[in-house]
Amino acid sequence: MKKEEQVRSLFGISLSDRPIWQQFLICSSGFFFGYLVNGICEEYVYNRLKFSYGWYFTFVQGFVYLVLIYFQGFTVKQMVNPWKTYVKLSAVLMGSHGLTKGSLAFLNYPAQLMFKSTKVLPVMVMGAFIPGLRRKYPLHEYVSAILLVIGLILFTLADAQTSPNFSVIGVVMVLGALVMDSFLGNLQEAIFTLNPETTQMEMLFCSTVVGLPFLIPPMVMTGELFTAWNSCYQHPYVYAVLIFEAMATFIGQVSVLSLIALFGAATTAMVYVNYFLVSQFSYVLLFS
């Protein structure tokens, strides 16, 4: 935990007055629940229903986040950072979400997870270059992370039932998302470090409000805005799935921000690697 003793809570559950292992368990549980539901919904929408509109779905998700944040009681008056703090963060956040969701139109879920499970490495490397962090890790930690990632990739490739399907476009998109992820977690940690009074709700609210306009150019330039609108208008039940997914992902997002605030971006990325294993088993059970 960081040196500054900042009061933290997660959906009404106090974290600061608990042992570190309980903080980690509670935050990780929220992370696993939120993103497992998110993954199941994404697989259903993209590969079962064939609705492949990553930018538009991220746009819809952002508005669901704002509604949920409102119900959590957060207001602009509670902000402790200026809006400009969140410009770079918002750009990489929306870019990461849009590319991640969009890649599922070209990759199946196991393939996407295989690539995303490597995020711990770029997160560790980028931490050394982010102002406010300049975090460096011992050589043995890099070696351990590399071996873990290699093991997970071999595990995926060896599983015939969930063998990944690859596409050049999908690979480029998910690699772009990984680059943005390497900035994302470290920028979030830097904001928490430089101003410990920053809450998880402020971080998510401001990055969503500032980030939503960044989604409009790619939606318009690709024509996805109008295509997705017409498709969802003809099949309105898709919105129900998207709202449910966004509600679950909201839990995961706030849990991730809690992990970053308490344990740092690299540790949070390691949790994602373990989430990858659980997701693989869930995928086998649900979609094999």
Side-chain angles (χ1 to χ4, degrees), residues 204-250:
L204 189 55
F205 172 78
C206 293
S207 56
T208 301
V209 170
V210 177
L212 283 174
F214 285 106
L215 295 173
I216 296 175
M219 284 195 296
V220 173
M221 288 188 294
T222 60
E224 184 176 305
L225 176 61
F226 310 104
T227 305
W229 175 269
N230 290 330
S231 296
C232 292
Y233 179 78
Q234 295 172 9
H235 306 279
Y237 62 87
V238 174
Y239 283 114
V241 179
L242 292 179
I243 292 172
F244 178 72
E245 175 193 346
M247 292 172 67
T249 312
F250 177 76

Side-chain angles (χ1 to χ4, degrees), residues 47-116:
N47 291 325
R48 307 293 161 163
L49 300 181
K50 303 301 180 183
F51 281 80
S52 53
Y53 309 115
W55 299 110
Y56 182 76
F57 289 170
T58 302
F59 194 69
V60 173
Q61 178 179 280
F63 283 100
V64 177
Y65 280 4
L66 295 179
V67 172
L68 294 173
I69 291 170
Y70 172 79
F71 284 126
Q72 288 293 313
F74 179 83
T75 65
V76 176
K77 294 180 180 180
Q78 298 173 15
M79 288 176 57
V80 296
N81 295 302
W83 284 101
K84 65 180 181 181
T85 305
Y86 297 98
V87 174
K88 288 188 292 185
L89 173 63
S90 302
V92 296
L93 174 65
M94 294 304 170
S96 172
H97 285 350
L99 290 171
T100 298
K101 291 180 181 296
S103 68
L104 281 173
F106 306 95
L107 305 172
N108 66 351
Y109 192 55
Q112 187 203 70
L113 278 177
M114 189 183 75
F115 281 101
K116 294 285 280 185

Side-chain angles (χ1 to χ4, degrees), residues 3-287:
K3 293 180 181 180
E4 298 89 346
E5 289 297 327
Q6 168 64 18
V7 177
R8 299 277 175 201
S9 64
L10 181 63
F11 299 115
I13 302 173
S14 176
L15 297 174
S16 300
D17 58 356
R18 295 176 183 271
I20 291 179
W21 70 269
Q22 288 187 15
Q23 297 176 9
F24 186 80
L25 180 62
I26 292 170
C27 295
S28 299
S29 297
F31 173 93
F32 273 54
F33 169 78
Y35 280 92
L36 278 173
V37 174
N38 170 73
I40 293 168
C41 291
E42 285 187 344
E43 173 69 14
Y44 177 72
V45 171
Y46 282 85
N47 291 325
R48 307 293 161 163
L49 300 181
K50 303 301 180 183
F51 281 80
S52 53
Y53 309 115
W55 299 110
Y56 182 76
F57 289 170
T58 302
F59 194 69
V60 173
Q61 178 179 280
F63 283 100
V64 177
Y65 280 4
L66 295 179
V67 172
L68 294 173
I69 291 170
Y70 172 79
F71 284 126
Q72 288 293 313
F74 179 83
T75 65
V76 176
K77 294 180 180 180
Q78 298 173 15
M79 288 176 57
V80 296
N81 295 302
W83 284 101
K84 65 180 181 181
T85 305
Y86 297 98
V87 174
K88 288 188 292 185
L89 173 63
S90 302
V92 296
L93 174 65
M94 294 304 170
S96 172
H97 285 350
L99 290 171
T100 298
K101 291 180 181 296
S103 68
L104 281 173
F106 306 95
L107 305 172
N108 66 351
Y109 192 55
Q112 187 203 70
L113 278 177
M114 189 183 75
F115 281 101
K116 294 285 280 185
S117 69
T118 66
K119 70 183 293 181
V120 62
L121 296 176
V123 167
M124 291 175 71
V125 171
M126 192 56 63
F129 301 97
I130 300 296
L133 285 183
R134 305 293 185 187
R135 191 180 299 282
K136 296 182 179 181
Y137 301 91
L139 179 61
H140 71 271
E141 291 192 17
Y142 286 103
V143 174
S144 298
I146 291 172
L147 292 175
L148 180 59
V149 167
I150 291 174
L152 288 171
I153 292 174
L154 293 175
F155 170 80
T156 302
L157 294 175
D159 191 339
Q161 286 186 302
T162 60
S163 56
N165 296 326
F166 297 102
S167 160
V168 174
I169 297 176
V171 170
V172 171
M173 292 180 73
V174 78
L175 288 177
L178 275 175
V179 172
M180 294 192 178
D181 282 343
S182 68
F183 286 95
L184 178 60
N186 285 304
L187 287 173
Q188 289 169 331
E189 183 182 355
I191 293 172
F192 281 127
T193 300
L194 295 173
N195 193 343
E197 296 298 317
T198 307
T199 64
Q200 301 97 304
M201 287 300 164
E202 175 183 332
M203 181 83 71
L204 189 55
F205 172 78
C206 293
S207 56
T208 301
V209 170
V210 177
L212 283 174
F214 285 106
L215 295 173
I216 296 175
M219 284 195 296
V220 173
M221 288 188 294
T222 60
E224 184 176 305
L225 176 61
F226 310 104
T227 305
W229 175 269
N230 290 330
S231 296
C232 292
Y233 179 78
Q234 295 172 9
H235 306 279
Y237 62 87
V238 174
Y239 283 114
V241 179
L242 292 179
I243 292 172
F244 178 72
E245 175 193 346
M247 292 172 67
T249 312
F250 177 76
I251 296 174
Q253 280 282 331
V254 179
S255 299
V256 165
L257 291 174
S258 301
L259 280 169
I260 291 173
L262 294 168
F263 300 100
T267 300
T268 304
M270 291 295 290
V271 175
Y272 190 94
V273 174
N274 289 279
Y275 155 76
F276 167 81
L277 283 172
V278 177
S279 297
Q280 280 290 95
F281 287 115
S282 300
Y283 186 89
V284 171
L285 291 173
L286 293 171
F287 296 110

